[in-house]
Amino acid sequence: MTLPNTGSVLATLTQLTQVHRTHALLHRVKTLSVPEFVCLLDFITAEFQQFLRAIDLINNEALETMLERTLEAITLKIGQILQADRTTIFLVDTDKGQLWSKISTAENEKPLEIRLPMNAGVAGHVATTGACLNISDAYNHPLFNPELDKQINYYTRNILCMPILSSKEQVVAVVQLTNKAGNVPFNSEDEQSFRDFAASIGIILESCQSFYVAARKQRGAAALLEAIQTLGKSLDLETTLQSVMDQARKLMQADRSTLFLLRRENNELWSKVTAADGKTMLEIRIPANRGIAGYVASTGQPLNIPDAYKDPRFDPSTDKRTGYVTRNILCLPVFNSSSNLIGVTQLINKNQGSFTSSDEEFMRAFNIQAGIALENAKLFESVLLEKQYQKDILQSLSDAVISTDMEGRIVTINDAALELLGCPLQHASGKINKQVWEQKLMGRLVWEVVPIENLQMRLQDSLKYAAKHYVPEQSLTVGLWIEPSEDKPESAKECLPHTTSHESNNNQHPKTEEDTKYYILVIRDRINPDIFIPWNESTTGDGAIPPRPYIPREKVREIERSLNLTVNPLTNPEGGVRGGLVVLEDISQEKRMKTTLYRYMTPGVAERVMAQAEDSLMVGERKEVTILFSDIRGYTTLTENLGAAEVVSLLNQYFETMVEAVFNHEGTLDKFIGDALMAVFGAPLPLKDHAWLSVQTALDMRKRLAIFNHRRIIAAQPQIHIGIGISSGEVVSGNIGSQKRMDYTVIGDGVNLSSRLEGVTKEYGCDIILSEFTYNLCRDRIWVRELDKIRVKGKHEAVTIYELIGNRTQPLEDPTQEFLGYYNAGREAYLSRDFYQAIANFETALKIRPFDQAISVHIERSKKYLLDPPPEHWDGVHTMATK
């Protein structure tokens, strides 16, 4: 059975289903007999199967290969028919305004794509005019470019170049034949022979190109959809960056792709790329106004560069350094939802040919989705950073902080609050206990687990009316109970460290008793004060909470705190209440003592002191220590022209850096006495190298003072000079006063001597003087010069004193060594009563240091003893007349 009409049935149906002609199709189908209707269905089925095969072909990545093979076969046959030495079919790329072709290279290698401008040369003329060109002598024709022959080492004699038209009479390709066989030019018969099959070739190439464009759009749309789905799955900025780069490269079939984000505060473009190991992410930065990416970032305009080396904005230095060759670049801006530029995508070296206008359109669509994904990722990163920031602030607070929801249930609780309630975070099992405690406390009503009087009333008032409450000196009593190991919850058991049999046999990582302790918060029952309830969870009637045994008071370690309570509302940006904040300031004796200790020593030393017995500081102890006294020289003169605020500011700045030097070397700040400072090394905690630490502190103070004075010179302010006295010995240390008014200090001869030596620095013009007791403890580590043997006011015993020059890790300079040589010789002659020789050596030393006050003192004494010799029993000791 056949139908009366020939041709495509579907084409006929398409025409019949146009607007206002649907009734004609219905009429024709209605008049068909059954056999004719069956035949019609067979025709429609066959043609629909062809459409399905075409759709499959579009989705098939081998379509490009099919186009290449079709072109190759047609090219070969045209060359045979027209007896040409070489035949090339150039396809027209209207998007780029170019002619392109694929030339076969070695076997099993991809064909090489070449592109020519559509308005240049022989082929360009034919493509733009649609006219045939038959050139008998190529080198005498103005459109022929002989440079092409030189590049490929070929000689072109004659050319036949003819257009191939589509069904719409548009040029879709140009066929160029060169060098006809027999050394004769092409003739009119060759032209007619080509025209005989040119129309068929045109339809074939038109169809292939249409399929190729459709397939490319289909693959691009599929890749774009995949990219959108991938980008939407991640809120992590680094993951999103990597995903954007990978998807963009696949989408555009590029060799490399980079997404640069704009950092406006630094005017930089930055990105993260994978290092050579495939794992590490490296960050790269470039100015936001330089290069290709910088141009796009600063103008917001896309760039499609077919030849990078011909573009003045391209910087080839990176290629030279890496050996990479950049051929073409597609660079487009990325905008966020507010149309603000947030980044730039850059694609390099398309696998075949250059980037087209279609590629630009796809990348614009891709960048829209990438911008949304990046904006979401950056917002999410900001939220995470803010959340971590808030968490870090919360955990860094020394006060206990608990936040609640609108019902008063715990949302967050910091470590200080857990410790306040008794959670032993510092124990070996602290991590396990923290996890269990947080699990138990989160979501509980805060007043159920923090039994402070009227807390519920105050928090509910704050949540309802945004009221603020501050109540000092509140009492908190909770208890700790160590639950037997067999009763531990599974979550706690899983957290416990496991020990293998091998480790057990070798005694590696032995499990201590502390590792197995599981602490429970227990709250005193309101009715019966002699029993405690674990977690304050009473058994409900419906059995929602498993019953727990009440704990008798004698099994509980009670914890009593004295607190300052603050209750505040948490508000949203509009001012509405969204939760509550409970702050508990521990003002118990422990915290008062610790706070006081922080004034005298570093937090680390204070913690170690606090670890001792509670009243250890109240008991006097004899200890071997080193005492350091420092004082500002000429303080009264220095400050007499300053106002009160300026004096306080000066002292605060000075003491700030000097106390830091003391703390850096484990010293304890004993007290400030006006412009003087007293520090102790070796109390309250013993220090093995207390003398050496004090010497290091003095050298550090000398260095800090030089920096401090340098800043004052720049500010046109007078310099400060100080004197430091250091001595070691036995003292009595302890808290002088009471627990309410603590004044920890040390007393003894060592303290008095250090104070005297600080004053002696004025007499000898030195900044640091050590007693022989300190010198003997660290003599192998320091450079000194023996100043004198003196008897300070109020003491009978004489002591040798030394000027501290420096640390032995740094050698002495030659002038200093020469100076000390003459000085020591003069000192030796002085003690031997050879005052003429002493004066001679001292005066030589004085030529090296003309203003050395210690030498002037010795010269003056020597001259005095020449006129009035000392008694026979004289031992060189000088008695100080002043303090």
Side-chain angles (χ1 to χ4, degrees):
M1 184 69 187
T2 60
L3 290 172
N5 295 339
T6 59
S8 172
V9 174
L10 288 178
T12 302
L13 291 175
T14 302
Q15 293 176 357
L16 291 174
T17 54
Q18 297 301 318
V19 180
H20 307 309
R21 301 186 62 185
T22 306
H23 64 282
L25 175 61
L26 296 175
H27 177 73
R28 292 190 61 176
V29 172
K30 188 183 293 185
T31 60
L32 290 177
S33 65
V34 173
E36 288 175 331
F37 180 63
V38 172
C39 184
L40 176 65
L41 293 179
D42 289 341
F43 272 103
I44 294 175
T45 301
E47 294 208 17
F48 267 121
Q49 287 176 340
Q50 292 181 14
F51 273 104
L52 290 174
R53 285 193 293 272
I55 293 172
D56 289 339
L57 188 62
I58 288 176
N59 291 325
N60 192 336
E61 294 184 358
L63 179 62
E64 188 173 347
T65 304
M66 186 199 75
L67 177 60
E68 294 171 359
R69 296 293 175 260
T70 301
L71 284 172
E72 187 178 350
I74 293 175
T75 302
L76 175 65
K77 195 60 183 176
I78 292 175
Q80 288 179 347
I81 294 173
L82 299 181
Q83 302 179 29
D85 180 45
R86 290 191 176 184
T87 305
T88 307
I89 297 180
F90 291 100
L91 297 178
V92 175
D93 186 345
T94 54
D95 289 337
K96 300 288 288 184
Q98 294 177 337
L99 296 174
W100 67 278
S101 180
K102 298 217 172 182
I103 300 176
S104 299
T105 53
E107 189 176 355
N108 297 328
E109 290 187 7
K110 295 193 74 173
L112 177 65
E113 182 178 301
I114 61 171
R115 286 185 174 262
L116 303 172
M118 202 165 66
N119 58 356
V122 175
H125 177 81
V126 172
T128 53
T129 64
C132 169
L133 275 182
N134 192 340
I135 303 171
S136 58
D137 187 355
Y139 276 79
N140 288 322
H141 197 280
L143 293 175
F144 178 70
N145 183 6
E147 293 297 324
L148 297 175
D149 277 5
K150 293 179 181 179
Q151 293 176 10
I152 59 177
N153 194 24
Y154 187 75
Y155 184 80
T156 301
R157 299 190 307 276
N158 45 61
I159 301 173
L160 176 60
C161 192
M162 301 188 68
I164 296 177
L165 304 179
S166 68
S167 60
K168 298 178 181 178
E169 298 299 317
Q170 294 177 341
V171 178
V172 293
V174 171
V175 176
Q176 181 171 293
L177 303 104
T178 59
N179 293 356
K180 184 176 179 180
N183 200 20
V184 296
F186 295 98
N187 53 36
S188 58
E189 293 180 2
D190 295 325
E191 296 178 24
Q192 186 57 45
S193 178
F194 178 81
R195 291 191 181 96
D196 290 341
F197 51 76
S200 299
I201 294 176
I203 293 174
I204 292 172
L205 293 180
E206 182 183 13
S207 300
C208 286
Q209 277 199 300
S210 297
F211 271 98
Y212 176 73
V213 171
R216 184 177 60 182
K217 289 182 178 180
Q218 174 69 17
R219 289 199 301 271
L224 180 59
L225 180 61
E226 180 185 355
I228 292 171
Q229 292 173 342
T230 304
L231 292 177
K233 291 178 182 177
S234 174
L235 288 174
D236 178 73
L237 187 57
E238 289 190 11
T239 304
T240 302
L241 280 172
Q242 188 67 38
S243 176
V244 167
M245 290 189 288
D246 290 343
Q247 294 298 333
R249 182 178 51 79
K250 293 176 184 177
L251 179 66
M252 292 293 103
Q253 299 179 354
D255 183 44
R256 293 185 178 183
S257 65
T258 308
L259 170 63
F260 293 99
L261 293 183
L262 177 62
R263 187 166 286 165
R264 294 187 181 277
E265 60 270 21
N266 300 328
N267 197 31
E268 286 182 338
L269 292 172
W270 71 276
S271 182
K272 287 198 173 183
V273 297
T274 307
D277 58 9
K279 298 179 180 179
T280 309
M281 296 294 290
L282 300 177
E283 186 170 306
I284 56 175
R285 298 171 180 269
I286 60 174
N289 57 358
R290 294 185 185 176
I292 304 297
Y295 175 86
V296 174
S298 57
T299 64
Q301 300 298 318
L303 282 181
N304 189 347
I305 303 173
D307 190 342
Y309 279 81
K310 291 183 179 179
D311 194 292
R313 291 161 298 199
F314 176 69
D315 182 7
S317 60
T318 303
D319 279 8
K320 293 178 182 178
R321 188 170 61 252
T322 61
Y324 186 79
V325 178
T326 302
R327 300 191 313 274
N328 44 61
I329 300 173
L330 177 60
C331 193
L332 282 88
V334 180
F335 298 95
N336 62 13
S337 59
S338 302
S339 298
N340 296 320
L341 191 142
I342 60 172
V344 171
T345 54
Q346 181 171 280
L347 303 169
I348 297 176
N349 290 358
K350 189 171 182 180
N351 292 344
Q352 295 182 350
S354 301
F355 296 103
T356 65
S357 57
S358 298
D359 295 333
E360 293 182 33
E361 292 302 320
F362 277 120
M363 279 307 296
R364 282 193 182 95
F366 176 84
N367 282 5
I368 291 173
Q369 300 300 325
I372 295 172
L374 286 170
E375 188 174 26
N376 290 339
K378 291 180 76 173
L379 286 173
F380 183 67
E381 184 182 48
S382 298
V383 170
L384 289 180
L385 288 174
E386 184 64 25
K387 183 177 180 181
Q388 185 61 43
Y389 177 69
Q390 299 288 352
K391 184 178 179 181
D392 291 342
I393 291 178
L394 186 66
Q395 294 299 346
S396 67
L397 296 175
S398 59
D399 289 333
V401 180
I402 303 172
S403 67
T404 75
D405 60 15
M406 290 298 293
E407 294 181 354
R409 299 186 182 277
I410 296 175
V411 176
T412 62
I413 181 168
N414 68 350
D415 288 354
L418 291 175
E419 286 191 288
L420 186 75
L421 294 174
C423 184
L425 297 181
Q426 307 302 324
H427 291 191
S429 57
K431 184 177 180 181
I432 302 169
N433 282 284
K434 179 181 177 180
Q435 292 174 354
V436 176
W437 280 54
E438 286 181 339
Q439 180 182 355
K440 282 287 187 181
L441 297 177
M442 292 300 182
R444 296 290 304 279
L445 293 169
V446 65
W447 52 80
E448 289 184 352
V449 290
V450 184
I452 296 178
E453 186 177 359
N454 294 326
L455 175 58
Q456 178 180 356
M457 178 269 293
R458 291 188 172 94
L459 180 57
Q460 289 178 337
D461 182 51
S462 183
L463 294 172
K464 187 174 182 180
Y465 301 107
K468 298 180 180 180
H469 296 275
Y470 174 74
V471 189
E473 297 292 339
Q474 293 292 288
S475 297
L476 170 70
T477 301
V478 293
L480 274 186
W481 177 55
I482 302 176
E483 190 169 33
S485 58
E486 61 271 12
D487 296 331
K488 286 184 175 65
E490 290 301 319
S491 59
K493 292 179 182 179
E494 292 173 1
C495 294
L496 291 174
H498 299 285
T499 306
T500 63
S501 58
H502 174 74
E503 290 173 338
S504 178
N505 293 337
N506 290 277
N507 294 323
Q508 295 179 352
H509 307 294
K511 188 185 295 184
T512 65
E513 179 183 357
E514 196 62 46
D515 292 330
T516 61
K517 287 183 179 179
Y518 171 52
Y519 292 84
I520 285 182
L521 172 67
V522 289
I523 309 296
R524 179 181 288 159
D525 184 67
R526 292 184 177 181
I527 300 175
N528 187 351
D530 291 329
I531 61 173
F532 284 77
I533 305 171
W535 306 111
N536 206 19
E537 293 175 344
S538 58
T539 306
T540 60
D542 57 3
I545 302 175
R548 280 184 178 271
Y550 291 130
I551 312 301
R553 185 172 184 174
E554 57 269 17
K555 290 187 177 182
V556 173
R557 178 161 68 88
E558 291 189 66
I559 301 173
E560 295 183 359
R561 310 282 193 193
S562 180
L563 309 168
N564 289 335
L565 171 66
T566 303
V567 179
N568 285 323
L570 291 174
T571 58
N572 56 30
E574 291 75 29
V577 178
R578 62 181 181 88
L581 194 68
V582 178
V583 181
L584 307 171
E585 181 189 6
D586 186 1
I587 56 171
S588 59
Q589 177 184 351
E590 179 182 349
K591 185 168 183 177
R592 286 199 302 268
M593 183 178 292
K594 186 182 295 185
T595 302
T596 305
L597 286 179
Y598 284 172
R599 294 166 48 203
Y600 302 122
M601 58 197 73
T602 61
V605 176
E607 293 291 344
R608 283 151 53 195
V609 171
M610 293 299 300
Q612 298 179 357
E614 190 170 293
D615 295 327
S616 61
L617 297 182
M618 299 295 294
V619 180
E621 293 182 290
R622 291 191 175 274
K623 293 182 177 181
E624 287 289 332
V625 301
T626 298
I627 312 298
L628 179 149
F629 266 90
S630 76
D631 183 57
I632 297 178
R633 293 283 168 263
Y635 172 75
T636 302
T637 303
L638 180 69
T639 60
E640 61 185 0
N641 294 323
L642 299 178
E646 293 175 300
V647 171
V648 172
S649 176
L650 168 63
L651 288 177
N652 286 342
Q653 294 175 30
Y654 166 74
F655 282 131
E656 182 75 26
T657 186
M658 294 304 164
V659 170
E660 192 172 274
V662 173
F663 284 175
N664 283 347
H665 297 92
E666 301 186 62
T668 298
L669 178 64
D670 187 281
K671 61 174 66 72
F672 295 117
I673 311 170
D675 60 318
L677 175 153
M678 172 182 169
V680 183
F681 297 82
L685 293 179
L687 292 173
K688 181 179 179 182
D689 288 337
H690 53 84
W692 172 236
L693 290 169
S694 70
V695 167
Q696 287 181 296
T697 300
L699 293 173
D700 192 9
M701 292 170 76
R702 176 189 283 169
K703 185 186 302 182
R704 288 170 178 270
L705 183 66
I707 298 172
F708 183 78
N709 278 329
H710 180 69
R711 291 198 296 265
R712 291 185 61 82
I713 292 172
I714 295 175
Q717 296 172 333
Q719 297 185 56
I720 287 178
H721 301 284
I722 65 173
I724 299 175
I726 302 176
S727 185
S728 304
E730 186 181 76
V731 297
V732 174
S733 67
N735 191 66
I736 308 300
S738 66
Q739 293 183 4
K740 292 183 179 180
R741 177 65 179 176
M742 176 189 290
D743 187 9
Y744 180 82
T745 188
V746 293
I747 54 177
D749 288 343
V751 178
N752 298 330
L753 180 57
S754 298
S755 177
R756 297 291 189 273
L757 294 184
E758 175 269 313
V760 169
T761 58
K762 303 174 187 177
E763 181 82 15
Y764 294 89
C766 304
D767 62 342
I768 306 173
I769 290 182
L770 311 179
S771 73
E772 62 182 74
F773 311 114
T774 301
Y775 168 70
N776 290 332
L777 292 174
C778 51
R779 61 191 306 161
D780 296 332
R781 298 182 178 184
I782 54 177
W783 297 112
V784 298
R785 71 162 165 167
E786 182 184 302
L787 286 176
D788 209 346
K789 192 169 185 180
I790 64 173
R791 185 178 293 107
V792 297
K793 188 174 179 63
K795 294 290 181 183
H796 297 289
E797 298 81 7
V799 59
T800 304
I801 59 174
Y802 300 85
E803 178 192 8
L804 177 61
I805 297 175
N807 191 328
R808 278 187 181 265
T809 56
Q810 298 177 346
L812 293 176
E813 297 178 353
D814 292 342
T816 303
Q817 291 188 26
E818 182 182 5
F819 169 79
L820 291 177
Y822 287 112
Y823 173 82
N824 291 333
R827 176 76 180 153
E828 184 178 350
Y830 174 80
L831 294 175
S832 301
R833 305 168 69 97
D834 188 353
F835 299 113
Y836 284 109
Q837 186 62 40
I839 292 172
N841 285 309
F842 284 138
E843 288 180 343
T844 305
L846 196 61
K847 292 178 182 179
I848 302 174
R849 289 189 182 178
F851 303 103
D852 190 90
Q853 191 169 325
I855 291 180
S856 298
V857 168
H858 279 81
I859 292 176
E860 182 181 349
R861 290 183 195 167
S862 298
K863 289 180 178 180
K864 176 183 175 182
Y865 286 140
L866 284 175
L867 298 175
D868 185 12
E872 291 296 327
H873 59 275
W874 179 75
D875 55 5
V877 174
H878 176 71
T879 300
M880 306 298 296
T882 63
K883 293 184 178 182

